[in-house]
Each structure stands twice: as structure tokens, then as C-alpha cells.
Amino acid sequence: MGLAKRIIPCLDVTDGRVVKGINFLELRDAGDPVEIAKRYDDQGADELTFLDITASSDNRGLILHIIEQVASQVFIPLTVGGGVREVEDVRRLLNAGADKVSINTTAVLNPQMVADAANRFGSQCIVVAIDAKKVDNKPFQWEVFTHGGRKATGLDAVKWAEYMASLGAGELLVTSMDRDGTKIGFNNPLNRAISDAVNIPIIASGGVGNLQHLVDGVQQGGADAVLAASIFHYGEYTVKQAKEYMAQHGIEVRL
Amino acid sequence: MKKIDIAVVDYGMGNLRSVSKALEHVAPTKTVLVTSNPEDIANAERIVFPGQGAMPDCMRELDSRGLHDAVLHAAKNKPFLGICIGMQMLFEHSEEGDAAGLDLLKGHVKRFSAADMKDSQGAKLKVPHMGWNQVYQAKPNVPHALWHNIADGERFYYVHSYYVQPADDSIISGFSEYPKRFTSAIATDNLFAVQFHPEKSAGAGLQMLSNFVSWKP
């Protein structure tokens, strides 16, 4: 037996509150990130990812407070992404208790920032998030997009993944913009192409609708970890059920 | 002088909050101090020596803060827990940046060679070794105090590209496989050190930290 494939629930946070993360029937629990994080920890989540989707920069500091609270009560790795623009942002998040920081748009605008952050804090805490879309009429299959999928960059997602790994990224979070929110499964050909091209772990994201999708993400897409939001948030499945299903299908997980 | 139960050695390499929070969680009545003061390390009852980043940088920062001798002295004399790079630095030398270590223990720190790493089904194994892997106890019949209430084969959280190769096999207290066996825990009289991160390993990790806090070597 060896290294387990990881399951990572993702929590969207805005203005200091978790906006997904609970069953609609339990609205009184809404926005308590510590309680939600603890619940996922109890279910056996291998890591947690917090995505700060706050639009206004005034309220961005609130994520630090949330991470501080969660980090003093939940002892599994915590990744934070969203709005990370400079090395100083990375430092602040790590000091608040994040173990890894995910860099997305800034990596495209200023790739040197990825190298600087990796040099300063170590590759182990630098995740580069790649949002990719299938494209036609280009010399490559998948293009990198930024700004939440609104801006095309002209970059080949597979080549971009290789470049980010060479700059010192310790892990890649690969989100298929075509699949995100569709519940039809990960984009496994995209994930497989990136996983084969780089030697660092990749996290598959975008499109999970059922537990077989998680299995396919590992077996077909070559993902080292699978990230999902809605199937856990709305109580369709627990993390434990997901792991048991994966184990039944021959995938090594931490149970 | 204030009594320090547990000193977490801070040599400026990254975030020690996870380690100190986890210790406070398992030992709410103890004083946990994150410190870069050699006097605190000399006075503390027990020492946690964490580490992240690259070993050459860690050694340089340790030296520049005048902590080299204090850490070495503590590692020989009081309950001492090394974590990750804090384990690697106890050895003679690392392949990472061709760096000299504290040379308390004989042996070397090697890099996983990504080129020839495949799992049993032929899939490529990534470096860093990141995630939850099983830890087997070297002497499960006579378990070390730090393995108390921890199952043989329990999973702990790892993130590293280098691992220690002790010259003396008898100090090996735990090992994992990736894909070959590598040393993931060592024990000497008053010292225990692990390659994984107990502070990020949920219940099993907290159990190990709790075992360390009450350990009487």
C-alpha cells in the first residue's frame, strides 16, 4: 500500500461567510466556516480548499480571520485561493494558518510572482490554479482563461502547466471551465494530458456530479487528488461515502 | 523567569502557526512558545524543531540566528521532536543544495528519483511525495512511547521531495513506501523525529503530539 488519492471539499467564501457548504434546510448553519470545516474533517476530508470570491477588496481581509479560526481547530492541510496578487498576500495567508496558497490570474499576469513565492516559502505551499477551456481553430486543445473564465490568454494549458511546474509550483489545481457546474464529470482528457506532462501532483476540479466521476478522475484523468463542492455541500454524499466508493473501485484512499 | 513547557524553534523559515496551534490543542494547560531565542530553547522543558522550505536555507537561517548550538544541545539532552526538514537537518548532509546538516546523527538526506518511480500498476509517481501515506512501525511489538494509541500502518500527511537514510538502522522507528521503503521516523534516547507532519495529520497526528507532550524518555 502507498500514497492515498486525496478528496478535497472546496468552500466558497465571500465577505467572510461560506456561501456554499450546507444543506438548504439548515440555513441557521450558513456562514459558519469553522463548523463546516470541522464536519468535513470528521467525515475524513484529506484537505480543505477555501476560495475567496469576495468582489470588494475592502472585505478581503475577512478570509484571514476565517483561516485563523479554522486553523486553530481543524488539523488537516488548508489551501486558500482567490485574489492572491503578490508575495505579501501569500505571506499573510500562510501566517493566518493556510498551508498552501493557490495562485490563478496573477500567475498569468506575472509568472515571476510564482517563482518568487516558491523561492521564499517553498514549492510545497504554492499551488497554481489553471482554468482551461476546450478551443477550436487553435494549435492546441485547451486554452488557459483568467478572471473566472472570462478572459482568454492565448496560452496552451498543457504547456502552461509545464512552465508553472518549472517555475516552482508544488501542485496544480486544474479546473475545466467547460465542465464547472455541469455535473457531467471532470474533463479527463485535459487532466490526463497535464498529469502526463508534469511531475508534480494535480488536483482535478470542475464537473463532479456523482461518485463515479471521482473514480474516473483518478483512473482516466490521472489525478492525484479530486476536488468537489456541490456534491458535498448539499448533502448528496458525505466525504466518507465518496471514499468508500473509490475504495470499492480499487483506488487507495485514507479511510 | 517564565516557565516554558514547549519551545517551537523559529528560525524564520515559514509558518509555525500550524505546529503551535496543534500543540496548544493537545496540551491546553502547557505553555507553548514559538521562539528564536537560544535562551528560551535552553530553558524549555521540551523542544519541537519543525521546518519547511529548502534545507540549505534552513541551515543558513539557523546559523544566522545563533541557534545552531542551542538546538544541538537540546537535541542531545531533552525531549526533542523533529518534523520534516527539522528531521533532515539532524543528519550529516543533504543532497538538496549539497548542504551540511547539524551532524548529530550519521547518515544522508536523499532525493526521490522521479525518473524510476512507478506504482505497482505502472502509474507515474509524482515528486513531491504529497498526501497521506501509511506509516509502519519498525518495532510494533515494542512500540515507542510516541506510537502510543497509533495503529501500525496508520496514515499521516506528507509533503517532501527528500528523505533521510540513517547510517545506523537501529534508530529507525517508522517507515513508509514510495514506492521503495524509506525512513519516516527515527528515535534515539531523548529524540524522536518524523518526515510527515503530525500537526496536519488529523487525529493520528494529534495523538502523536499528545504522546510527545507527556513523553518521559
Side-chain angles (χ1 to χ4, degrees):
Chain A
M1 299 294 271
L3 186 65
K5 301 297 178 187
R6 290 168 279 153
I7 294 193
I8 308 175
C10 178
L11 307 170
D12 286 353
V13 178
T14 184
D15 297 330
R17 295 173 67 82
V18 174
V19 290
K20 292 180 195 167
I22 52 118
N23 188 313
F24 276 130
L25 298 173
E26 291 181 87
L27 282 178
R28 61 197 158 88
D29 288 342
D32 185 349
V34 177
E35 190 171 321
I36 295 163
K38 273 177 148 172
R39 188 182 310 158
Y40 285 139
D41 179 24
D42 289 344
Q43 291 176 7
D46 295 310
E47 299 184 21
L48 295 173
T49 288
F50 293 83
L51 193 58
D52 186 3
I53 56 170
T54 303
S56 138
S57 58
D58 295 348
N59 288 335
R60 283 209 175 270
L62 294 170
I63 190 78
L64 296 174
H65 182 59
I66 289 177
I67 297 305
E68 278 175 16
Q69 284 183 300
V70 173
S72 46
Q73 296 189 54
V74 174
F75 300 97
I76 57 176
L78 308 175
T79 300
V80 186
V84 177
R85 293 191 174 84
E86 47 192 77
V87 170
E88 184 59 19
D89 294 330
V90 178
R91 190 190 64 79
R92 270 196 292 268
L93 288 165
L94 294 176
N95 281 348
D99 299 287
K100 310 181 201 180
V101 172
S102 170
I103 304 169
N104 190 341
T105 296
T106 301
V108 173
L109 300 178
N110 176 19
Q112 184 59 35
M113 186 269 194
V114 172
D116 291 346
N119 280 333
R120 176 141 170 223
F121 305 109
S123 291
Q124 83 287 339
C125 64
I126 304 301
V127 181
V128 170
I130 299 175
D131 292 346
K133 258 188 216 178
K134 183 95 172 69
V135 285
D136 299 318
N137 312 319
K138 297 223 172 151
F140 47 79
Q141 286 194 70
W142 300 282
E143 182 170 357
V144 177
F145 279 70
T146 58
H147 299 85
R150 295 191 302 276
K151 269 196 184 170
T153 63
L155 295 164
D156 174 351
V158 178
K159 290 271 183 300
W160 178 247
E162 291 174 338
Y163 181 46
M164 288 295 103
S166 75
L167 288 186
E171 194 171 32
L172 301 173
L173 169 58
V174 182
T175 301
S176 163
M177 302 308 290
D178 306 301
R179 300 298 180 99
D180 208 23
T182 62
K183 305 199 124 206
I184 58 172
F186 293 121
N187 186 333
N188 293 316
L190 164 70
N191 294 333
R192 172 58 75 181
I194 290 179
S195 188
D196 285 349
V198 300
N199 200 44
I200 55 176
I202 78 155
I203 306 166
S205 159
V208 176
N210 61 47
L211 301 183
Q212 183 60 37
H213 292 154
L214 301 176
V215 170
D216 294 343
V218 171
Q219 293 180 338
Q220 296 173 20
D224 301 282
V226 286
L227 181 136
S230 56
I231 63 161
F232 298 132
H233 294 327
Y234 300 119
E236 288 169 66
Y237 304 102
T238 64
V239 175
K240 185 157 184 286
Q241 285 172 323
K243 287 186 158 187
E244 285 168 351
Y245 187 89
M246 290 169 80
Q248 282 160 16
H249 289 75
I251 295 174
E252 191 163 350
V253 292
R254 175 177 73 107
L255 280 170
Chain B
M1 189 171 53
K2 192 174 70 175
K3 181 170 166 286
I4 305 166
D5 296 310
I6 307 160
V8 179
V9 183
D10 178 8
Y11 46 94
M13 287 299 292
N15 162 36
L16 304 177
R17 190 185 177 88
S18 299
V19 177
S20 64
K21 287 289 160 200
L23 288 164
E24 285 164 11
H25 187 81
V26 299
T29 62
K30 304 282 185 187
T31 311
V32 179
L33 184 69
V34 176
T35 179
S36 51
N37 183 345
E39 282 179 32
D40 290 336
I41 293 164
N43 294 332
E45 185 194 328
R46 50 191 79 223
I47 304 296
V48 176
F49 186 43
Q52 51 181 242
M55 183 162 141
D57 299 336
C58 289
M59 286 301 298
R60 189 190 62 233
E61 295 300 316
L62 194 68
D63 289 344
S64 75
R65 284 169 174 74
L67 289 165
H68 184 289
D69 293 349
V71 168
L72 204 51
H73 188 265
K76 290 174 183 168
N77 293 291
K78 55 179 93 179
F80 188 99
L81 177 64
I83 299 173
C84 193
I85 312 280
M87 175 199 211
Q88 296 177 6
M89 282 194 283
L90 301 171
F91 286 83
E92 287 171 73
H93 173 266
S94 175
E95 284 184 0
E96 187 174 18
D98 193 23
L102 290 167
D103 200 13
L104 176 73
L105 300 168
K106 292 299 166 197
H108 296 273
V109 182
K110 314 274 284 182
R111 185 177 166 87
F112 288 117
S113 64
D116 53 51
M117 291 181 43
K118 300 260 195 283
D119 69 11
S120 56
Q121 282 144 25
K124 178 170 74 173
L125 291 175
K126 309 285 185 73
V127 178
H129 172 228
M130 183 187 287
W132 300 77
N133 203 338
Q134 289 184 287
V135 178
Y136 301 98
Q137 296 168 23
K139 297 157 194 158
N141 299 327
V142 278
H144 191 280
L146 266 78
W147 296 121
H148 178 67
N149 276 343
I150 295 172
D152 189 18
E154 181 61 80
R155 288 185 188 275
F156 287 85
Y157 184 80
Y158 285 92
V159 50
H160 65 124
S161 301
Y162 294 81
Y163 61 94
V164 302
Q165 256 183 359
D168 175 5
D169 282 352
S170 73
I171 69 169
I172 296 172
S173 185
F175 59 89
S176 296
E177 292 171 350
Y178 194 67
K180 284 187 254 178
R181 174 187 290 209
F182 70 92
T183 298
S184 57
I186 55 162
T188 63
D189 298 337
N190 62 298
L191 178 147
F192 199 86
V194 291
Q195 181 59 62
F196 50 81
H197 289 270
E199 76 280 11
K200 284 288 148 187
S201 296
L206 295 176
Q207 178 68 52
M208 173 165 278
L209 293 177
S210 171
N211 293 343
F212 173 69
V213 170
S214 57
W215 183 30
K216 294 185 178 67

